[in-house]
Amino acid sequence: MIILLLLSIPLVASLGTLALRTRRAMELTHLASAACSFLVTALLAREVLRSGPVVWLNGFLYADRLSALVLLLTAFVYLVVSPYAVGYFRQDERNRVFGDDDAERIGFVKLRKYYALTPLFGFSLFLVAVANNLGVMWIAVEAATLASIFLVTFYGRPTSLEAAWKYAIIGGVGLSMALFGTVLTYYSAHEVLGGESFNALNWSVLAG
């Protein structure tokens, strides 16, 4: 259940942000999501070190020591970036108040976009780390790619849109090759496993 809790925190924060009406509420939700994600990740890592791998959903989600390390690093970056982002956007607002023409105009809609997509990006990366199934991992990487593409377009400049378009093309090619490799892996594993082909894309089964 701890894996479910870890995945639920950023996902709920992302969806909840869409219903918030004030900037402060979005900021607090963003900070709480990052802090709670890091705390739960630390608890998950402790459980893995004490009792071994944590398994959920019949092995589709799986956390071992390597997963715990990746989760801790990801959650730490999420925790550090969150207060920085809040301060950055507030500083930009102060610069505009004092007449700095170089300051970016960041309205409420853009802020909601950022505070909704960043937890979704975090959720996707967490899912990548705990996905024991290659198909689930591919979906998680796809979700992370889509979230980051929209984050790249945050300022809406021509250069931002161009960067997002190039990133989408490169990411799309990579994901297509990954999907092709996943299909080949399933076909090969299906031939070997026979009746156990339902779990043919699970890392733990493939390693065996």
Side-chain angles (χ1 to χ4, degrees):
M1 291 298 291
I2 194 169
I3 294 180
L4 173 62
L5 180 60
L6 174 63
L7 296 176
S8 298
I9 291 172
L11 187 60
V12 170
S14 177
L15 296 176
T17 298
L18 299 176
L20 298 177
R21 295 290 182 267
T22 65
R23 176 175 186 160
R24 182 171 178 79
M26 290 192 299
E27 291 173 347
L28 291 175
T29 300
H30 187 62
L31 294 173
S33 172
C36 292
S37 294
F38 183 77
L39 176 61
V40 174
T41 300
L43 294 175
L44 176 60
R46 186 181 67 174
E47 184 173 341
V48 169
L49 290 175
R50 284 184 175 181
S51 307
V54 176
V55 182
W56 190 55
L57 286 181
N58 294 322
F60 275 81
L61 299 180
Y62 177 95
D64 56 12
R65 294 192 176 196
L66 178 60
S67 304
L69 175 60
V70 174
L71 287 170
L72 279 173
L73 292 173
T74 304
F76 176 74
V77 173
Y78 185 18
L79 179 65
V80 172
V81 167
S82 295
Y84 178 85
V86 172
Y88 179 88
F89 292 139
R90 285 191 170 273
Q91 181 62 42
D92 187 84
E93 183 181 36
R94 285 192 292 269
N95 290 341
R96 288 193 61 82
V97 169
F98 288 105
D100 187 350
D101 295 333
D102 293 330
E104 291 288 346
R105 181 178 181 83
I106 302 176
F108 185 82
V109 174
K110 282 188 175 181
L111 286 176
R112 174 179 285 170
K113 174 184 177 181
Y114 177 86
Y115 288 130
L117 286 175
T118 303
L120 182 60
F121 183 59
F123 161 81
S124 303
L125 294 182
F126 291 152
L127 184 57
V128 170
V130 298
N132 189 32
N133 184 276
L134 278 173
V136 175
M137 179 178 289
W138 185 88
I139 293 172
V141 172
E142 174 72 18
T145 302
L146 290 175
S148 56
I149 286 174
F150 287 109
L151 285 170
V152 170
T153 66
F154 179 77
Y155 285 112
R157 300 172 181 169
T159 52
S160 301
L161 297 175
E162 180 183 357
W165 175 245
K166 291 179 178 178
Y167 178 40
I169 293 175
I170 295 172
V173 172
L175 286 167
S176 299
M177 296 301 294
L179 179 61
F180 180 64
T182 301
V183 172
L184 289 181
T185 301
Y186 177 79
Y187 176 77
S188 299
H190 175 77
E191 292 294 315
V192 174
L193 294 173
E196 299 180 12
S197 59
F198 179 75
N199 294 321
L201 286 181
N202 285 8
W203 282 111
S204 54
V205 175
L206 291 172

